[in-house]
Amino acid sequence: NRLFLTDGWLPLSQLFTGSGTAVTMQGQVAVVRSTAVADSAIASCGILSQPMRRTGTATLAGNGVTGTVSFVQESPLDAVQVSVALKGAKLVAGTNYTLQVRQFPVDLALYTPDQQCTDAAIGTAFSPPPANATNTTTCSPSAPAACAGGDLSGAYGVLTVVAGAGGSGGSISATLVTPYLSLFGTTSLLFRSVVLSPASAAVDSTARVCATVMPPANALIRAAVADLTYGLSGQVFFLQMTGYDSSSSSSGNSDSLPTDLFMLGNVGIVSSLVAPLHAWSIRDYAPNDDYYAPAFQLRCASTGLVYNPNAVDANTTGYAAACLAQDMACMDGDL
């Protein structure tokens, strides 16, 4: 169903004075209610919220290249605007470079500087769903929908260096708009990396330069880290942002509901007794005294069940498939 209308009596300024207003669909009429109302005729509901533009910036510095790759998205329904502004003494006029958003952030702890921009460290081109793996069309600027969303040069062409003023190296300036990436939701490009590579260089060339896409300083971020020891050693980072207006100088909207949760695991196997594939979850309790048990397999026995505050029945037929298809069908802690 489609509907377009104007209303001179609906005051949005008053609707947004609280923490959110429910919008319910009852038959063919959209009804705005400040609180939920039990009604068997309600077909669906959602939260009415103000769209806030999001921005992210990767600040590149290395291999004789400095500058930024910036991303702006006015709302989840808009395309992402990408701006490239790079310069450097080693940028030779006429040379072509490729630009990609990769799966993972730049890791400064696990990799040496010459390894930080390799595929092993930052992954392959970020490909948010709908994935194009089954698309038989070859990725190219004439068929951008066939490219991974993060393969910006594959979809829109290579970046060409122009000569700098007075012969002082070269520069790259470009702008593009892509509907295949987002700064919102579970497929956000925030905290992933951007990599600039010579188009003619071999795979994993040390001539690459990369950086993590970071939100602006006024974004309100909650962070937590789980330190793992024994058997598996490493850390799992949790970052959760609230809404923010990147055009404002405020510290962020602290009254907003938490939105996107970003998780990054840096885990290394330190025991041959640990299987190479792992299911991971958040449990009800912190480990008790068994955390110091001699047998490391027993050290998490006291953590209880998977965190499940909404009492999702994981024993029903089809739970695993439903959980993979939609986050809301999962127990909250079933990562």
Side-chain angles (χ1 to χ4, degrees):
N1 295 326
R2 303 180 67 186
L3 177 66
F4 181 89
L5 56 83
T6 59
D7 190 310
W9 299 97
L10 186 64
L12 291 181
S13 60
Q14 294 183 22
L15 288 177
F16 291 121
T17 55
S19 59
T21 298
V23 179
T24 62
M25 299 297 295
Q26 185 172 356
Q28 297 181 353
V29 181
V31 182
V32 178
R33 296 173 176 170
S34 58
T35 57
V37 176
D39 190 336
S40 60
I42 294 176
S44 182
C45 63
I47 297 295
L48 189 64
S49 60
Q50 292 175 292
M52 293 185 177
R53 74 196 305 254
R54 282 194 176 178
T55 66
T57 302
T59 303
L60 282 71
N63 280 327
V65 178
T66 60
T68 60
V69 179
S70 301
F71 302 86
V72 178
Q73 189 174 17
E74 297 299 332
S75 78
L77 300 179
D78 289 290
V80 173
Q81 305 169 54
V82 186
S83 300
V84 182
L86 303 169
K87 63 181 180 179
K90 292 187 178 180
L91 292 177
V92 179
T95 304
N96 292 327
Y97 283 77
T98 62
L99 185 70
Q100 290 186 332
V101 176
R102 294 299 187 95
Q103 293 172 286
F104 308 120
V106 178
D107 194 309
L108 304 180
L110 293 182
Y111 296 91
T112 59
D114 62 327
Q115 297 175 326
Q116 288 168 2
C117 297
T118 62
D119 293 350
I122 58 177
T124 57
F126 177 47
S127 185
N132 299 311
T134 59
N135 194 321
T136 57
T137 305
T138 301
C139 167
S140 70
S142 62
C147 304
D151 188 1
L152 297 175
S153 286
Y156 304 105
V158 297
L159 304 175
T160 302
V161 178
V162 298
S168 58
S171 64
I172 298 175
S173 296
T175 58
L176 59 91
V177 177
T178 177
Y180 305 114
L181 289 173
S182 178
L183 293 167
F184 293 84
T186 57
T187 58
S188 173
L189 63 85
L190 288 171
F191 302 109
R192 303 183 192 274
S193 61
V194 164
V195 61
L196 181 77
S197 308
S200 60
V203 175
D204 277 355
S205 167
T206 55
R208 287 179 173 180
V209 57
C210 59
T212 301
V213 182
M214 298 297 295
N218 67 337
L220 183 62
I221 301 175
R222 296 181 177 92
V225 60
D227 292 305
L228 306 180
T229 57
Y230 319 116
L232 288 180
S233 177
Q235 296 177 311
V236 180
F237 297 92
F238 298 83
L239 302 172
Q240 189 165 45
M241 292 176 26
T242 66
Y244 67 85
D245 182 354
S246 61
S247 64
S248 169
S249 60
S250 68
S251 60
N253 183 1
S254 60
D255 293 327
S256 295
L257 294 173
T259 53
D260 310 327
L261 179 63
F262 303 88
M263 291 171 284
L264 171 66
N266 290 333
V267 179
I269 296 176
V270 296
S271 171
S272 60
L273 299 178
V274 178
L277 299 178
H278 307 88
W280 57 314
S281 60
I282 295 175
R283 298 301 181 106
D284 284 327
Y285 312 113
N288 208 329
D289 291 344
D290 57 9
Y291 193 61
Y292 304 100
F296 74 83
Q297 294 93 337
L298 303 177
R299 289 174 177 165
C300 298
S302 58
T303 58
L305 301 176
V306 174
Y307 179 60
N308 188 20
N310 295 314
V312 173
D313 187 356
N315 295 315
T316 58
T317 302
Y319 165 79
C323 179
L324 284 173
Q326 187 176 29
D327 292 349
M328 293 180 64
C330 302
M331 296 183 288
D332 284 5
D334 189 1
L335 302 178

